[in-house]
Amino acid sequence: MNIRNKDKERFFSFTVLSIIVTIILSSYYDLSFLQLLFYPIDDVYAPGDGRFSIAVVKMIIDGAWSSLVPFSPHLNAPFHFQMYDFPLPFFSNFVYIKFLSIFSSDSVVVFNLYYISTYFLNAFTMFWVLRRLRVNVYLAISIGILFTFLPFHFYRLPHTFYSGYCFIPLWIYYLLLLTNKKPLFFKKKVGESKYSFDWSKRNIIIILVMLISSTWNFYYTFFFTFLIGFTLLSNFVYRNSKYHILSTLIFLSLAVAPLAGNMLPYKAYEIENGKNYQVGQRDPMEAEILGLKIATLVFPVNDHRSSILVQFKKSYTRGPLFNESNAATLGVIGAIGFLFLLLVVLAQRQFSKVLVRLSQYNFVALLLSTVGGFGVVFAYVITPQIRAFNRISVFIAAISFIVIALVISQSISKWKNKGILSLVLSVSILFFAIWDMTSTHMEFRPDKQLQAEFISDKKFIQQIESKFDVSSQKISIAQYPYLSFPENPVIHKMGNYEQFQGYLHSDKLYWSFGAIKGRPADIWWKGLNEKSIEEQIQTLQQAGFSGIMINRNGYQDNAKGLENKLIQLLGAKPMISENKIVSFFRLYPTSNEIRFSRIAFNSFYEWEGEPGKFRWAGDNANISLFNDQGSSKTNNISFTLGTLRDRSMVIKLNEEVLESFEIKRGESTQHTFNLKLNPGQNILKFETMEPARSPGGADNRKLAFSVGEFVYD
């Protein structure tokens, strides 16, 4: 086939793919493409991870992301919102969202475009890979569509940045190239016996794809890195060629280095400000709970279109581990491919090298991710921060579909009238699999209750904004009840990220939600909430706040008690939203003075028991002491220190040594200081050369020393 015919085939194939994906989204998923311009799809506006994802999209659209880290000056008032303590290493994902913002500045529209576009991208890349592997064009179209309509894709809507798994088929293809007889990145010139680096167009494209894809999704990059590591071991054993090993090491660096670069700003902030042990800390047991289950891979989707299979699946979902891992369903076609791969592992000599390699990748992915697998070992021995190993199911799905396509395509090539037969078979597979993998509850039509809430919130926030001259004034709104960020439990009926509503519906107002747990802003707000309502109002007005927005879902009495107090105190009734969930009281700021809380612990775990009694510290622990006066002042401080292992310790105040001593295991030392504090922030630092260690057992925390009987006046 000449180049012109290949181009025509690609254009035809991608057009057909686009049409079929559009038809399936419209008919099976009840998606009205007009609704993409007005409302969040399905239930993504629910007060959970979906609403958080829309907020991140808005930060990127607004240009409020720098050094690879999303942030916004319009959150965490009277401070600034930044997510250094809660890493989101999705740089190339964010670049793609920024590109989509060319077509709209509305965060909901861009969010919808992003998510729906992943259905097309996933199908396109799988099709391209299958054609590179010489799979029949009709079958490649069919399997490409099945891959993008995995149930995983639909259920990842709130975890939006996992829905674009388009790079995974490419990665699998690249892994196959790494194990070819010819080393991937090297070649021999004519007449030469030594290899040299191959700067071919193909290799340059591979390098560019790797640089982009490695920062697309850190979970996927982690799984991919594991498979590259297995490839390195395989090449060492079977190829025993330094150029194959070098190619694999280059590939490994192309996966790890960009992700490490994406993480640098987060790590730099952690070094400068201390580790925040109150945010994003995972328990190793979560790797067990959120592990992959083989049963889920081969069992039918929830709410299958067959009533018999619905009852069968319901009998299984009553089990103790019904969680996000149940989104890993492969469907009948994918399950056949998966089971065939296990057969190939057991009888490798009977199959081609490509099928054997794919079966090996499938098998080691299973060993890593399954409940009780090596992923759990990784979580306990190295780090529990990678916990949801079930998400590797898209890798297993990609491998399973590729194998099915290869086997069927090879069989088709032996048939007479293979063109017509391949078309009929491909269409039959497509229709059956889409019926099999989509359930009666999979639809993108907006939830009516959430749509009404979205409209009510939008009108109400715009009504608040219209009350102020936002062009010449900074208008800050305090949101009640106070909820720190991220991952907080529900307060009565108010969800985790429900208070993003203000930010999502305004461009000029500044909102209090977004104080990071354990940081000074969080401590400031917690201290404020311990005061009487009269003192709170006075402090808020001194800090420059122009209003209070109350979410009644956060109060057992629907905020009646709080609102009655504010009516008496402020002498005015509140504005109330259309759905009666949100109310607003206007304040009149007196200044922009922020009086910090007196003290903040950095790189410390929570108090165990009463505050001040006992708590553990990790590495680089320090205490911030705030002096809100215009001149120096003196404060007394006393505490005891303990340790799990003998260590030397130096205590410094603003880099001036206060005491240097030794702590013995099992003993405690008493320390009392008369501290001279400069205006503003002062740092009481604890320096020790012995790193923090885990005490063992079920406790995976890294503990350096303990502080007890803490008194500060």
Side-chain angles (χ1 to χ4, degrees):
M1 185 182 293
N2 60 41
I3 295 176
R4 183 169 296 179
N5 288 338
K6 283 185 177 180
D7 290 339
K8 288 181 179 179
E9 182 200 280
R10 290 194 191 101
F11 177 78
F12 168 78
S13 300
F14 285 118
T15 301
V16 171
L17 274 168
S18 300
I19 292 172
I20 296 175
V21 170
T22 302
I23 291 172
I24 294 172
L25 287 172
S26 301
S27 57
Y28 280 87
Y29 288 83
D30 199 18
L31 175 68
S32 166
F33 284 87
L34 187 61
Q35 80 187 37
L36 298 179
L37 304 177
F38 299 102
Y39 307 113
I41 55 179
D42 196 28
D43 61 354
V44 75
Y45 191 67
D49 291 330
R51 192 175 293 196
F52 175 33
S53 296
I54 300 175
V56 172
V57 169
K58 181 173 172 58
M59 294 176 208
I60 297 165
I61 294 171
D62 293 344
W65 59 296
S66 177
S67 301
L68 319 182
V69 181
F71 78 94
S72 175
H74 290 273
L75 288 164
N76 192 23
F79 310 96
H80 294 284
F81 177 80
Q82 50 197 13
M83 285 194 289
Y84 287 102
D85 288 325
F86 194 62
L88 292 179
F90 300 117
F91 176 67
S92 55
N93 232 320
F94 294 163
V95 171
Y96 177 57
I97 291 170
K98 191 69 174 178
F99 165 74
L100 292 177
S101 69
I102 294 173
F103 306 101
S104 175
S105 60
D106 188 303
S107 58
V108 169
V109 173
V110 174
F111 174 91
N112 291 343
L113 288 175
Y114 170 86
Y115 179 73
I116 295 302
S117 71
T118 59
Y119 278 94
F120 296 89
L121 294 175
N122 297 341
F124 292 163
T125 53
M126 176 57 88
F127 169 81
W128 185 89
V129 166
L130 292 176
R131 291 299 290 149
R132 295 293 293 180
L133 294 172
R134 299 181 181 179
V135 170
N136 175 276
V137 63
Y138 301 124
L139 188 61
I141 291 174
S142 178
I143 297 299
I145 292 169
L146 300 194
F147 178 65
T148 200
F149 282 102
L150 284 166
F152 179 94
H153 199 158
F154 177 83
Y155 291 122
R156 287 301 104 191
L157 175 59
H159 294 160
T160 318
F161 303 125
Y162 293 89
S163 62
Y165 44 84
C166 52
F167 287 109
I168 292 175
L170 290 172
W171 287 345
I172 302 301
Y173 176 65
Y174 292 162
L175 290 174
L176 292 175
L177 294 180
L178 282 173
T179 58
N180 279 345
K181 185 176 181 180
K182 176 185 174 299
L184 178 60
F185 290 116
F186 296 91
K187 68 175 181 179
K188 286 182 181 179
K189 293 183 180 179
V190 178
E192 294 185 4
S193 59
K194 292 184 178 180
Y195 281 97
S196 60
F197 194 86
D198 182 9
W199 290 103
S200 65
K201 180 181 177 181
R202 182 196 67 170
N203 286 347
I204 292 173
I205 291 174
I206 290 174
I207 291 171
L208 291 175
V209 169
M210 286 297 298
L211 291 175
I212 295 170
S213 62
S214 296
T215 58
W216 183 262
N217 182 293
F218 71 98
Y219 256 96
Y220 296 159
T221 301
F222 172 80
F223 297 142
F224 183 39
T225 301
F226 175 78
L227 294 178
I228 298 172
F230 172 76
T231 305
L232 180 63
L233 179 63
S234 177
N235 281 341
F236 179 78
V237 173
Y238 295 107
R239 290 295 178 188
N240 196 23
S241 160
K242 71 175 183 180
Y243 293 104
H244 279 86
I245 294 171
L246 279 174
S247 290
T248 312
L249 288 173
I250 291 171
F251 215 71
L252 185 64
S253 67
L254 290 171
V256 173
L259 180 62
N262 201 169
M263 286 297 297
L264 275 177
Y266 298 102
K267 289 299 178 184
Y269 179 85
E270 180 182 303
I271 292 170
E272 182 179 350
N273 297 276
K275 187 172 180 63
N276 191 339
Y277 290 105
Q278 298 183 41
V279 173
Q281 299 303 299
R282 310 305 187 192
D283 191 298
M285 183 53 67
E286 295 179 55
E288 185 90 302
I289 296 170
L290 297 173
L292 183 70
K293 295 179 289 184
I294 294 175
T296 300
L297 292 173
V298 299
F299 279 2
V301 67
N302 296 339
D303 303 308
H304 196 280
R305 296 180 185 276
S306 165
S307 58
I308 296 174
L309 294 180
V310 168
Q311 295 305 315
F312 174 79
K313 186 61 179 289
K314 282 184 177 179
S315 67
Y316 173 70
T317 57
R318 297 189 187 102
L321 291 179
F322 183 71
N323 50 47
E324 74 163 59
S325 65
N326 287 278
T329 302
L330 298 178
V332 170
I333 303 299
I336 292 172
F338 170 72
L339 296 173
F340 178 77
L341 285 164
L342 296 181
L343 174 64
V344 174
V345 169
L346 299 176
Q348 295 185 18
R349 293 183 180 180
Q350 308 300 318
F351 299 96
S352 69
K353 290 182 179 179
V354 171
L355 292 181
V356 170
R357 291 169 194 158
L358 291 172
S359 71
Q360 291 171 345
Y361 288 131
N362 179 71
F363 187 64
V364 296
L366 199 62
L367 289 177
L368 173 71
S369 59
T370 190
V371 174
F374 286 105
V376 178
V377 177
F378 182 87
Y380 273 93
V381 175
I382 300 177
T383 175
Q385 294 307 108
I386 298 292
R387 54 173 183 157
F389 283 91
N390 68 84
R391 295 170 186 174
I392 205 173
S393 66
V394 280
F395 282 78
I396 292 175
I399 297 170
S400 300
F401 281 129
I402 289 172
V403 164
I404 282 288
L406 287 173
V407 172
I408 294 177
S409 187
Q410 289 171 7
S411 301
I412 289 175
S413 65
K414 302 174 183 178
W415 296 351
K416 294 181 179 180
N417 300 320
K418 58 185 178 182
I420 296 175
L421 289 173
S422 64
L423 176 60
V424 172
L425 180 61
S426 299
V427 171
S428 300
I429 289 174
L430 176 62
F431 272 90
F432 169 76
I434 292 299
W435 172 85
D436 175 55
M437 292 196 302
T438 59
S439 77
T440 55
H441 289 175
M442 285 185 181
E443 60 178 32
F444 289 134
R445 185 175 296 279
D447 180 277
K448 290 184 178 180
Q449 182 178 346
L450 291 172
Q451 183 176 339
E453 183 177 341
F454 176 82
I455 295 171
S456 176
D457 287 347
K458 186 173 184 178
K459 288 181 179 178
F460 189 64
I461 302 305
Q462 291 176 349
Q463 186 180 0
I464 292 174
E465 190 170 301
S466 68
K467 300 292 182 182
F468 301 96
D469 181 9
V470 293
S471 62
S472 60
Q473 294 177 295
K474 179 180 179 180
I475 306 300
S476 298
I477 309 297
Q479 293 170 270
Y480 276 49
Y482 173 65
L483 183 67
S484 56
F485 177 90
E487 297 179 322
N488 257 304
V490 172
I491 298 181
H492 194 51
K493 295 187 295 181
M494 189 179 79
N496 187 3
Y497 299 121
E498 188 164 343
Q499 288 182 327
F500 268 125
Q501 61 200 156
Y503 173 67
L504 291 178
H505 294 291
S506 69
D507 296 318
K508 304 295 183 181
L509 302 178
Y510 295 78
W511 304 90
S512 65
F513 178 67
I516 301 292
K517 293 178 185 176
R519 292 301 185 188
D522 179 42
I523 296 166
W524 187 85
W525 278 103
K526 286 180 177 177
L528 178 69
N529 277 264
E530 292 173 357
K531 300 178 181 180
S532 67
I533 188 62
E534 291 81 6
E535 291 177 298
Q536 290 182 45
I537 296 301
Q538 183 180 4
T539 302
L540 288 173
Q541 291 182 143
Q542 288 175 345
F545 281 91
S546 299
I548 295 177
M549 190 170 79
I550 300 170
N551 189 317
R552 293 172 169 178
N553 283 338
Y555 297 87
Q556 192 168 4
D557 66 346
N558 205 36
K560 289 181 180 178
L562 175 60
E563 289 181 359
N564 287 336
K565 289 180 180 178
L566 289 174
I567 289 171
Q568 294 176 5
L569 186 63
L570 301 175
K573 291 185 178 181
M575 289 168 44
I576 300 174
S577 65
E578 192 174 276
N579 62 0
K580 311 298 181 184
I581 293 176
V582 188
S583 63
F584 176 78
F585 289 87
R586 182 161 185 170
L587 299 180
Y588 296 89
T590 57
S591 67
N592 288 300
E593 180 184 356
I594 304 171
R595 295 197 174 188
F596 281 94
S597 300
R598 301 195 318 150
I599 188 168
F601 289 81
N602 303 310
S603 289
F604 280 83
Y605 293 93
E606 294 275 14
W607 289 109
E608 299 180 20
E610 296 179 6
K613 194 68 176 176
F614 182 85
R615 76 192 305 175
W616 284 103
D619 287 321
N620 304 316
N622 65 78
I623 301 175
S624 297
L625 304 170
F626 296 98
N627 175 9
D628 57 7
Q629 297 182 7
S631 59
S632 298
K633 72 173 184 175
T634 301
N635 280 74
N636 296 318
I637 191 171
S638 67
F639 48 84
T640 60
L641 296 178
T643 182
L644 292 175
R645 55 186 298 155
D646 297 351
R647 66 176 63 245
S648 60
M649 177 75 76
V650 178
I651 301 178
K652 297 180 179 180
L653 177 65
N654 298 331
E655 299 302 326
E656 180 181 343
V657 176
L658 300 179
E659 188 177 1
S660 180
F661 54 95
E662 298 287 329
I663 312 179
K664 299 294 183 182
R665 177 183 177 183
E667 299 179 2
S668 63
T669 58
Q670 179 69 47
H671 305 272
T672 302
F673 302 105
N674 194 5
L675 303 178
K676 183 179 180 181
L677 303 181
N678 300 321
Q681 185 179 24
N682 298 263
I683 303 296
L684 187 68
K685 187 181 296 184
F686 300 85
E687 294 184 352
T688 176
M689 297 300 294
E690 291 289 336
R693 301 287 179 88
S694 173
D699 191 346
N700 69 299
R701 295 177 300 171
K702 302 294 185 181
L703 309 179
F705 61 91
S706 64
V707 171
E709 305 302 328
F710 187 87
V711 178
Y712 180 64
D713 56 35

